């Protein structure tokens, strides 16, 4: 008991030292479409601490991808405040604060795998020798060593997505934004990549924001799950997911895992029925 | 073994060639040709398919064809008779059959496959010439309507210096200079149009208008502006090639996907970095499309423009002058040079295209 208490104490101290990587306050985004305004995001409040793994989950149209794109400065909020590393998203983007992994690998077909990983480094003006080292290091990180000279279209979908993760990591950002990166892959590949992603996260200590619509995926990966609901896109509930650092695949059969998954599902259902009542 | 109707028909015709009179002087060739063609047909019908029978068929049918060509000179006094035409059609069918079998021929070695792939269009072209020669001379078609290939070939051989001077004037000077300037200007204009949005709405319609101008209208004006030497022809080519390059490059610059562009944005990439690293590579298939279209347009433009005033050299000048003098063989010689130059440049651009856009789904291996 005493050991546990001590552990909790040190953890609390570490938590105090933690800083917020992302702070969102009362943020809204309205898209003007030909059918009239669409409330993509409505009154979002969110804080993400350094080293956290946060999942955005919700049905389509709940604004989870839009929120991620606002953080990445790919969309502009209509109102509210947001900071990334204490800066505006656009400053953070210019400072290359984050790596972004898209739904598709989006590798350039005219570049080899190593050429693709080299792309952000070239844009950022990193020397050739340094580029070479980083390419080798990051390909090893995603288990793609030996595929440097291959072209993207010669690789499977899972390998392409791993290469795109290596590309996002190549310039060593502290923040990784992932938009349903494994959505197009089959479940077996997905499980495997989820495991690898967890190991990567443990190894690199990065802050990860992960958009998904899979409940098991969210529970398995995250330290915090943001449940969102549509029309207008908003945060329904934030669920802590304290399964610990060690997460083998079969943790998904434990009662604790199932309990959290149940809470997420309840949250999603509640958010959805709310929507139907008001529709 | 299934016998092809083509082979059986050719055997019947070859039999006709053996029995029916062919006309002419009845020389050595006239005596041997029916036998050679009959043997070829027999091989096609009765010998099992193998590498050997295919080679034998190819050899026999071409020996037969050259005998038929050789016999042409004996028909000066009287036209050839039915037996001769039986043999011609039989040889044609056999050649058809041989090419068909060659195309189905499976080879293991990659080198040999390349050779076969090269042989097919060559055989096809050769037979086009053989039949042209046989029909034109056999039926005594007036050379002013259509000269036989042999006559065109001897005209080419006899006029190499003239043809070379014309080629230099029209292709190496006017067409190439105009092509380079027109494509270059179209490319630069496309980048500007893409960068300055209001130009897209303002310049593109004007470009459209320029593209719709007829060459026969522009050419005399350009001659007045730039004189009758090659510069005026180059100007016509510039006008003809500018717009295809402009439109294709503008379309190509819009071809990169939204996700790929967002990716560059997340890297804080500048406009020029995005242009060089993403948008231009993605536009390459479009740009090469324009380069190919323009390679044909440039030659046509340069030749036609010479009809409206030129020094006494140039392919277009030669064509219009020799037509007037009824020297149709010289016209055909120029057409041959133009066709050769056109296909070679097209082929060259295609080779470069494959090297540059190897990643495009249509070329991936």
């Amino acid at each position: 008991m005493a050991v546990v208490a001590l552990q909790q104490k040190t953890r609390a101290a570490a938590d105090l030292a933690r800083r917020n990587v992302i702070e969102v306050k009362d943020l809204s985004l309205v898209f003007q479409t030909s059918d009239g305004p669409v409330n993509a995001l409505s009154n979002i409040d969110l804080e993400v601490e350094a080293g956290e793994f946060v999942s955005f989950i919700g049905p389509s149209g709940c604004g989870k991808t839009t929120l991620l794109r606002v953080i990445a400065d790919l969309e502009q909020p209509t109102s509210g405040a947001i900071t990334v590393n204490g800066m505006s998203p656009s400053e953070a983007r210019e400072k290359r604060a984050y790596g972004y992994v898209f739904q598709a690998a989006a590798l350039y077909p005219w570049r080899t795998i190593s050429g693709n990983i080299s792309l952000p480094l070239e844009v950022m003006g990193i020397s050739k020798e340094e580029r070479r080292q980083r390419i080798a290091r990051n390909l090893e990180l995603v288990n793609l060593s030996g595929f440097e000279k291959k072209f993207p279209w010669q690789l499977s979908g899972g390998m392409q997505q791993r290469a795109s993760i290596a590309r996002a990591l190549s310039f060593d950002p502290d923040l990784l934004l992932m938009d349903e990166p494994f959505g197009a892959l089959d479940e077996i590949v997905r499980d495997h990549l989820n495991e690898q992603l967890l190991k990567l996260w443990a190894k690199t200590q990065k802050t990860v924001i992960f958009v998904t619509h899979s409940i098991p995926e969210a529970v398995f990966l995250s330290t915090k799950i943001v449940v969102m609901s549509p029309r207008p896109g908003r945060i329904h509930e934030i669920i802590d997911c304290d399964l610990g650092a060690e997460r083998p695949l079969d943790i998904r059969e434990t009662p604790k895992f199932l309990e959290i998954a149940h809470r997420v599902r309840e949250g999603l259902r509640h958010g959805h029925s709310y929507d139907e009542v008001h529709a | 073994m299934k016998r092809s109707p083509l082979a059986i028909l050719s055997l019947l015709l070859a039999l006709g060639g053996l029995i029916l009179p062919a006309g002419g002087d009845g020389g050595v060739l006239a005596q041997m040709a029916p036998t050679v063609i009959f043997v070829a047909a027999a091989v096609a019908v009765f010998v099992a398919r193998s590498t050997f029978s295919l080679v034998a068929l190819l050899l026999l049918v071409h020996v037969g064809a050259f005998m038929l060509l050789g016999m042409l000179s004996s028909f000066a006094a009287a036209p050839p008779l039915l037996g001769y035409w039986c043999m011609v059609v039989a040889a044609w069918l056999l050649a058809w059959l041989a090419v068909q079998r060659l195309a189905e021929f499976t080879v293991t070695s990659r080198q040999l496959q390349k050779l076969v792939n090269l042989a097919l269009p060559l055989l096809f072209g050769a037979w086009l010439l053989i039949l042209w020669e046989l029909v034109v001379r056999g039926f005594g078609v007036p050379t002013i309507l259509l000269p036989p290939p042999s006559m065109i070939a001897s005209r080419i051989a006899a006029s190499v210096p003239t043809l070379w001077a014309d080629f230099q004037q029209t292709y190496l000077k006017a067409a190439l200079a105009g092509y380079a300037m027109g494509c270059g200007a179209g490319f630069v204009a496309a980048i500007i149009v893409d960068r300055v949005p209001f130009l897209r709405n303002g310049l593109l319609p004007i470009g459209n208008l320029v593209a719709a101008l007829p060459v026969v209208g522009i050419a005399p004006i350009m001659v007045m502006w730039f004189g009758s030497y090659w510069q005026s022809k180059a100007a016509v080519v510039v006008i003809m090639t500018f717009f295809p390059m402009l439109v294709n490059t503008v379309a190509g610059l819009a071809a990169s996907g939204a996700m790929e562009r967002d990716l560059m944005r997340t890297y804080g990439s500048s406009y020029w970095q995005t242009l060089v690293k993403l948008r231009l590579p993605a536009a390459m298939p479009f740009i090469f499309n324009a380069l190919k279209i323009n390679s044909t347009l440039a030659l046509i433009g340069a030749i036609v423009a010479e009809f409206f005033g030129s020094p006494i050299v140039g392919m277009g000048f030669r064509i219009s002058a020799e037509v007037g003098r009824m020297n149709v063989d010289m016209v055909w010689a120029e057409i041959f040079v133009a066709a050769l130059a056109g296909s070679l440049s097209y082929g060259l651009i295609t080779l470069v295209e494959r090297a540059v856009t190897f990643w495009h789904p249509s070329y991936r291996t």
Side-chain angles (χ1 to χ4, degrees), chain B residues 43-62:
Chain B
V43 167
V45 176
F46 298 115
V47 180
R49 283 197 202 181
S50 64
T51 316
F52 171 77
S53 72
L54 181 59
V55 171
L57 181 62
L58 278 169
L59 271 177
L60 284 167
V61 74
H62 287 96

Side-chain angles (χ1 to χ4, degrees), chain A residues 29-96:
Chain A
L29 194 159
V30 181
F31 285 123
Q32 298 296 338
T33 69
S34 51
D35 295 338
V38 171
N39 290 307
L41 293 172
S42 167
N43 307 103
I44 302 285
D45 287 297
L46 181 70
E47 289 179 358
V48 177
E49 289 173 0
E52 269 193 301
F53 196 122
V54 178
S55 287
F56 296 169
I57 192 166
S60 358
C62 72
K64 52 192 193 298
T65 294
T66 309
L67 182 53
L68 195 72
R69 289 175 64 84
V70 169
I71 295 169
D73 187 39
L74 295 174
E75 303 286 356
Q76 305 307 319
T78 319
S79 67
I82 173 168
T83 60
V84 177
N85 283 347
M87 297 170 268
S88 75
S90 122
E91 284 167 339
R93 178 173 66 78
E94 293 294 338
K95 288 219 163 76
R96 285 101 188 207

Side-chain angles (χ1 to χ4, degrees), chain A residues 69 73 93 96 122-123, chain B residues 260 262 265 267 273 277:
Chain A
R69 289 175 64 84
D73 187 39
R93 178 173 66 78
R96 285 101 188 207
E122 287 168 29
V123 171
Chain B
E260 282 78 4
D262 278 348
R265 205 171 135 76
Y267 300 150
Q273 282 176 322
K277 292 192 187 298

Side-chain angles (χ1 to χ4, degrees), chain A residues 172-185:
Chain A
D172 207 24
D174 292 328
L175 175 61
L176 201 54
L177 306 177
M178 304 178 90
D179 182 9
E180 293 186 45
F182 310 137
L185 306 174

